Amino acid sequence: MRSVLVRYHEVALKKGNRRYFIERLKENLVASVRDLGFREIKSLPGRILVLFERESDTEEIRRRVQSVFGVANFSFAVRTEPDLALLKQQILTSLEGTRFASFRVQTKRADKRFPLTSPEIDRQLGAAIQEQSHARVDLENAELTIAVEVLPDDAFFGYEKIPGAGGLPVGVSGRVVALISGGIDSPVAAYRMMRRGCRLVYVHFHSFPFLDATSQHKVRELVQLLTRHQFRSRLYLVPFGEIQRRIVASVLRPLRVVLYRRMMLRIAEAIARKEKASALVTGESLGQVASQTLANLSVIEEASRLLILRPLVGMDKSEIIDQARKIGTFEISVIPDQDCCQLFVPRHPATNAGLAEVLRAESALDIQSMIDFGIENVAIHDFHFPELLPKTISDEERA
Ligand code: ATP
Ligand code: MG
């Protein structure tokens, strides 16, 4: 049976939430590989073991596990009986034809009833490997590390340690609503909060039919991509053009962007309440554009009572772009579209909108009916990863 040994950072675990962390991580691992010949998942001391059918697709399993947050590193391992002679024989067979100049054996013995200690197992296996391969033992900088784990009912050995995505398992930090625009920044902001253990619900505001529908297509692609990390996501598409039209009818140009943003926050807050989410996430970065000065950010956030998370606030554009490339969102984000906030606004919006001035402008609007309009006309899309497969033929039917 093929198996994957998953390790997590013990330091990330505070005492009280250890079990919760591990349960979430196990659920997420199962969700990520459930269509790849998954058989079973078990907690072992300090690690998690995922068992697969023999013929499972190793490369795909590797890609999937690499995008599960909370995984520090993992390795593919072979299972044998917890018996030294068998273990030795299987390791030697698996190493036939492999060339390496130096190696080390690292044994972890979780079953203290096993007759040998870990260093004794290291030495005995090491001697056999050395005899077959003529490679030297190097405890510091070995070219090949053979990791052995001895448990009460099974033993495992494996080679390469593959780095995981780190962070915290999605779900342990609770649920938040991410405002996603189709630009470069907000998908990166979403990714960073997911990596801190948040489960995201997405909201996108579009100005269709006043503008074309490209931003909606982009956001759907972005959410599908980001769903690799949380396995199921919901996207609320809110028609914003009519709301903007009402703002434009009574508000002078320089204030419009700030009023658009305040409306976005109010509607996102209403969605967050419905979804039982406890914060909003935006891709705002201090000073990046006129609407993101300290003065404007505070006037904007005054519209909502929810906590607003801005994971990019201290990042440079070039750092954000680097990360967007790494997580694969950049190529989608740079497809040209028509940004709803550019609708009916001047090239130079106010950089220092005062709250009093903004409240005066809003007093001419029926804010509640605008929120209701957005909520009532919302379209909801659900995403799954792996994408739901049509029901497969059951074994009996096939026979
Ligand atoms: P981005 O690259 O994410 O579009 P930006 O640099 O263009 O960000 P703004 O246009 O000021 O900055 O938007 C700031 C944040 O407001 C975005 O990161 C996003 O979280 C939210 N936002 C802006 N427009 C929309 C929209 N149409 N739908 C949902 N959220 C939006
Ligand atoms: Mg934008």
Side-chain angles (χ1 to χ4, degrees):
M1 204 184 295
R2 207 183 279 295
S3 40
V4 175
L5 269 178
V6 171
R7 301 173 197 85
Y8 38 86
H9 282 300
E10 293 286 339
V11 287
L13 297 185
K14 290 196 213 81
K15 233 178 161 196
N17 52 23
R18 181 193 171 87
R19 183 173 320 154
Y20 185 58
F21 176 105
I22 293 171
E23 284 314 307
R24 279 287 94 70
L25 183 54
K26 282 166 74 180
E27 270 174 33
N28 293 348
L29 283 164
V30 172
S32 81
V33 299
R34 60 180 184 251
D35 59 335
L36 299 179
F38 166 75
R39 288 273 294 272
E40 202 188 337
I41 190 158
K42 295 191 208 177
S43 293
L44 307 178
R47 61 211 60 210
I48 293 169
L49 177 69
V50 195
L51 298 167
F52 293 89
E53 321 251 323
R54 192 171 293 281
E55 62 277 14
S56 308
D57 178 349
T58 319
E59 273 315 300
E60 187 58 21
I61 293 173
R62 172 200 284 256
R63 275 194 290 275
R64 299 279 184 89
V65 176
Q66 269 184 311
S67 53
V68 177
F69 293 128
V71 175
N73 61 67
F74 62 100
S75 33
F76 285 94
V78 178
R79 187 206 161 272
T80 75
E81 299 297 313
D83 171 281
L84 190 68
L86 260 174
L87 198 53
K88 194 184 294 181
Q89 180 207 325
Q90 293 226 22
I91 292 176
L92 292 179
T93 312
S94 88
L95 286 176
E96 268 166 21
T98 311
R99 296 173 61 123
F100 47 96
S102 61
F103 74 98
R104 65 180 162 176
V105 180
Q106 274 186 342
T107 303
K108 282 231 164 77
R109 186 185 56 139
D111 181 14
K112 303 299 177 202
R113 289 166 308 174
F114 194 77
L116 301 175
T117 65
S118 299
E120 283 165 351
I121 302 172
D122 288 350
R123 271 196 295 279
Q124 292 216 18
L125 293 175
I129 295 166
Q130 194 166 31
E131 191 184 332
Q132 172 173 297
S133 66
H134 306 294
R136 83 195 134 72
V137 173
D138 183 338
L139 299 182
E140 300 292 308
N141 291 305
E143 194 183 319
L144 182 73
T145 298
I146 299 139
V148 175
E149 318 244 346
V150 182
L151 306 172
D153 302 316
D154 329 78
F156 298 92
F157 66 91
Y159 303 105
E160 185 197 5
K161 250 190 199 172
I162 305 160
L168 301 173
V170 167
V172 296
S173 302
R175 190 188 275 264
V176 303
V177 165
L179 285 82
I180 186 163
S181 68
I184 295 170
D185 304 332
S186 39
V188 175
Y191 176 92
R192 290 178 79 99
M193 293 323 301
M194 247 192 309
R195 192 162 179 273
R196 294 313 299 159
C198 293
R199 172 167 285 287
L200 301 189
V201 175
Y202 296 92
V203 180
H204 174 64
F205 299 89
H206 66 82
S207 306
F208 186 79
F210 298 87
L211 298 174
D212 72 25
T214 320
S215 76
Q216 293 179 59
H217 299 310
K218 285 172 64 180
V219 164
R220 284 160 68 163
E221 258 192 80
L222 287 165
V223 172
Q224 180 64 59
L225 185 82
L226 291 166
T227 301
R228 288 192 72 87
H229 306 283
Q230 67 171 25
F231 321 112
R232 53 178 201 283
S233 314
R234 173 160 281 188
L235 166 65
Y236 286 80
L237 291 172
V238 183
F240 204 56
E242 169 59 23
I243 293 168
Q244 289 175 291
R245 202 189 55 73
R246 292 193 206 172
I247 292 174
V248 168
S250 76
V251 179
L252 290 176
R253 284 175 178 262
L255 285 184
R256 287 178 191 167
V257 173
V258 170
L259 263 72
Y260 291 171
R261 277 291 139 70
R262 285 169 60 88
M263 279 314 300
M264 284 187 186
L265 286 192
R266 291 186 180 106
I267 294 171
E269 178 172 4
I271 292 171
R273 305 259 178 238
K274 180 166 167 259
E275 288 278 348
K276 300 192 176 18
S278 42
L280 304 178
V281 179
T282 74
E284 287 157 325
S285 163
L286 187 60
Q288 200 189 84
V289 290
S291 58
Q292 296 174 16
T293 60
L294 284 182
N296 280 353
L297 287 175
S298 37
V299 172
I300 292 168
E301 80 173 7
E302 195 273 342
S304 153
R305 277 190 309 276
L306 270 185
L307 171 64
I308 299 179
L309 302 171
R310 299 184 181 88
L312 312 187
V313 75
M315 286 174 79
D316 292 346
K317 192 74 184 185
S318 61
E319 294 171 317
I320 300 171
I321 290 176
D322 282 350
Q323 181 147 35
R325 285 189 201 279
K326 282 201 197 101
I327 65 177
T329 54
F330 184 78
E331 283 68 25
I332 306 170
S333 292
V334 293
I335 297 170
D337 65 3
Q338 297 179 305
D339 181 347
C340 76
C341 289
Q342 252 68 75
L343 189 60
F344 317 125
V345 295
R347 263 224 292 253
H348 301 289
T351 51
N352 201 357
L355 184 58
E357 194 188 357
V358 166
L359 294 177
R360 208 175 313 123
E362 283 182 350
S363 66
L365 297 164
D366 184 349
I367 300 286
Q368 191 56 48
S369 87
M370 289 158 78
I371 298 174
D372 295 344
F373 176 87
I375 298 289
E376 280 157 19
N377 292 288
V378 84
I380 294 177
H381 290 268
D382 287 320
F383 297 80
H384 298 271
F385 182 86
E387 280 174 68
L388 293 180
L389 301 169
K391 266 211 166 99
T392 48
I393 308 164
S394 74
D395 288 343
E396 299 106 83
E397 279 172 273
R398 209 178 290 136

